[in-house]
Amino acid sequence: MLRAQGKVAAGAVSPLLYFQRHQIMTSEMLPAFIESSNVERKQSLNEDQEKSQKPRLCERFEPISKRQMKKLIKQKQWEEQRELRKQKRKEKRKRKQLERQCQLESNSDGNDRKRIRRDVVHSTLRLIIDCSFDSLMILKDIKKLHKQIQRCYAENRRALHPVQFYLTSHGGQLKKNMDENDKGWVNWKDIHIKPEHYSEFIKKEDLIYLTSDSPNVLKELDESKAYVIGGLVDHNHHKGLTYKQASNHGIDHAQLPLGNFVKMNSRKVLAINHVFEIILEYLETRDWQEAFFTILPQRKGAIPTDKACEGSSHDKKSARIEDGLDSDSSEEENSKNELESPHEEEKQDKENSNESTVNSVLH
């Protein structure tokens, strides 16, 4: 038994020697093991990256709509033309500088604007835009009204005989739209913007409401009066409203003498800025016809009444000539019928006689 144990003990490796050998092997194999683990980690990381990139690639190649394609093309064109736009802006600046230099050289005063403003003679005529119809308009029409008021303001500032411009009953949707889209209106000059109704600060006997439904026609403008234009953009939904309002308030009313000088294809209702500009033009020229044809847009198809009368007389003459030709042709047809009728009668007599002979022969 002891011998067997001695043999086993002799053949077995001592724990210390085993640990030393194992330590030597692990120290030799450690770098290779670290390298293999690093390689495995890199491979796993690459696989994860590929997996994460695959859906991105798929997302990139999603189908693009026509609208998106157009936007991309426009953006590309915009970026490509950036340099061209810069060059155009530079050229524009140079051109303006040259124009200013030429104006300074040509004007002895040294400033053209000052020279023009000296010729301005302010009119005592008061022109009011009544904005009390705010609740009757949708936002789209309110925006149109705002643009027309802007045009009136600009034209009055440029006019040689600017009027005393009033904007009354200012509030509601119009004021809100002006605050949002035109914050500079608070700095407007030569204009009286009031939240009150015009009847609160202007005498009734001084007021004349301009409306196309009025039976009264203006001949001249009285510069001591205050003329009211209805600030209503309604596309003819509220017919005769301004006329009724003027009548109810006991205010004098009238219409511009449009029918006396102009014949139009469309209705006589004009935009607010057109009425405003016609009055400014009349104050400068004192000629209604010239004022109308200077301001009215071509789409209205405006023709002077003289030419319209000539055209109507010409049409009447041509109609008479046509009637004469028609009567002559009818007379010729009647004469032909008269000539043909005796021949037809003779033919009928012969036919009747032949029939009677045939009948007698049969009987």
Side-chain angles (χ1 to χ4, degrees):
M1 189 74 180
L2 289 165
R3 285 179 185 176
Q5 284 178 358
K7 285 179 183 179
V8 170
V13 180
S14 67
L16 182 62
L17 185 64
Y18 177 78
F19 178 74
Q20 287 175 352
R21 284 180 183 175
H22 182 69
Q23 195 173 9
I24 291 161
M25 285 180 73
T26 51
S27 62
E28 288 175 355
M29 291 172 68
L30 188 61
F33 176 74
I34 290 165
E35 284 181 6
S36 64
S37 63
N38 287 335
V39 169
E40 285 175 1
R41 278 182 188 175
K42 284 180 181 178
Q43 285 177 353
S44 63
L45 284 168
N46 289 332
E47 286 175 2
D48 292 337
Q49 284 177 356
E50 284 176 2
K51 284 177 182 178
S52 63
Q53 282 178 357
K54 276 180 182 177
R56 287 180 186 175
L57 288 167
C58 294
E59 286 173 6
R60 282 181 190 173
F61 291 104
E62 281 182 2
I64 299 170
S65 64
K66 287 183 180 178
R67 191 175 288 177
Q68 287 174 338
M69 185 67 76
K70 283 179 182 177
K71 282 182 181 178
L72 289 169
I73 290 164
K74 281 182 181 178
Q75 191 176 358
K76 192 180 177 183
Q77 287 175 350
W78 178 263
E79 287 171 0
E80 286 174 354
Q81 293 175 358
R82 190 173 289 171
E83 293 298 324
L84 184 66
R85 286 196 302 277
K86 281 183 182 177
Q87 193 176 350
K88 282 183 178 179
R89 282 197 292 270
K90 284 179 182 177
E91 288 174 1
K92 195 175 180 181
R93 281 174 202 153
K94 285 179 182 178
R95 202 163 51 243
K96 282 186 176 179
Q97 284 175 357
L98 287 168
E99 285 174 3
R100 283 172 193 165
Q101 284 176 1
C102 291
Q103 283 178 359
L104 289 168
E105 287 171 5
S106 61
N107 297 325
S108 57
D109 296 333
N111 196 339
D112 193 37
R113 277 188 186 177
K114 286 182 181 177
R115 187 181 62 79
I116 289 169
R117 294 302 292 176
R118 284 187 197 130
D119 297 336
V120 171
V121 178
H122 289 269
S123 173
T124 55
L125 184 143
R126 289 161 288 176
L127 200 51
I128 303 161
I129 295 179
D130 175 21
C131 303
S132 62
F133 306 99
D134 193 87
S135 59
L136 299 175
M137 290 181 283
I138 58 173
L139 184 59
K140 186 180 176 182
D141 294 332
I142 290 286
K143 287 180 178 179
K144 286 181 181 178
L145 173 62
H146 178 205
K147 284 182 181 178
Q148 290 182 21
I149 290 167
Q150 283 178 321
R151 183 70 183 267
C152 294
Y153 173 73
E155 290 299 324
N156 196 48
R157 290 280 292 166
R158 283 197 290 264
L160 291 174
H161 298 286
V163 296
Q164 306 300 313
F165 187 13
Y166 285 82
L167 205 64
T168 62
S169 302
H170 183 252
Q173 294 183 88
L174 177 63
K175 186 178 181 299
K176 188 181 176 183
N177 187 69
M178 288 174 77
D179 288 334
E180 288 174 358
N181 302 313
D182 185 18
K183 292 177 182 178
W185 72 267
V186 293
N187 300 319
W188 284 1
K189 297 175 182 178
D190 301 327
I191 185 170
H192 309 280
I193 301 173
K194 296 182 177 290
E196 298 88 13
H197 194 263
Y198 57 85
S199 60
E200 292 181 25
F201 55 89
I202 296 175
K203 294 176 183 178
K204 192 182 281 186
E205 55 268 22
D206 290 344
L207 291 165
I208 297 173
Y209 213 113
L210 296 173
T211 170
S212 60
D213 298 305
S214 174
N216 306 322
V217 180
L218 275 178
K219 290 181 180 178
E220 290 183 0
L221 290 174
D222 185 352
E223 294 194 39
S224 65
K225 298 287 184 182
Y227 294 88
V228 185
I229 304 169
L232 179 62
V233 180
D234 67 332
H235 308 285
N236 214 22
H237 293 307
H238 302 282
K239 289 182 181 179
L241 182 64
T242 52
Y243 173 61
K244 285 176 187 174
Q245 194 179 57
S247 301
N248 293 335
H249 284 89
I251 298 165
D252 289 339
H253 45 79
Q255 62 168 295
L256 296 176
L258 196 64
N260 297 344
F261 298 94
V262 181
K263 187 179 179 182
M264 294 194 302
N265 295 331
S266 60
R267 58 199 177 94
K268 291 182 182 179
V269 180
L270 303 176
I272 296 158
N273 59 296
H274 290 154
V275 177
F276 198 100
E277 288 172 49
I278 285 164
I279 289 168
L280 290 176
E281 191 68 26
Y282 177 77
L283 289 171
E284 188 177 337
T285 60
R286 296 290 170 178
D287 186 343
W288 281 117
Q289 189 164 345
E290 190 177 340
F292 288 133
F293 284 99
T294 304
I295 304 303
L296 286 175
Q298 290 182 352
R299 67 174 183 275
K300 290 284 184 183
I303 304 167
T305 49
D306 300 336
K307 289 184 179 179
C309 292
E310 285 174 9
S312 62
S313 62
H314 179 70
D315 292 338
K316 283 177 183 178
K317 283 179 183 178
S318 60
R320 282 174 188 171
I321 290 162
E322 285 175 1
D323 291 337
L325 289 169
D326 291 338
S327 62
D328 291 341
S329 60
S330 61
E331 284 175 3
E332 284 177 3
E333 285 176 2
N334 289 329
S335 62
K336 282 180 183 178
N337 291 329
E338 285 174 2
L339 288 167
E340 287 174 358
S341 60
H343 293 293
E344 286 177 358
E345 285 175 0
E346 286 175 3
K347 283 180 182 179
Q348 284 178 357
D349 292 335
K350 283 180 182 179
E351 286 175 0
N352 291 328
S353 62
N354 288 330
E355 283 177 3
S356 61
T357 51
V358 169
N359 288 327
S360 62
V361 168
L362 288 170
H363 290 294

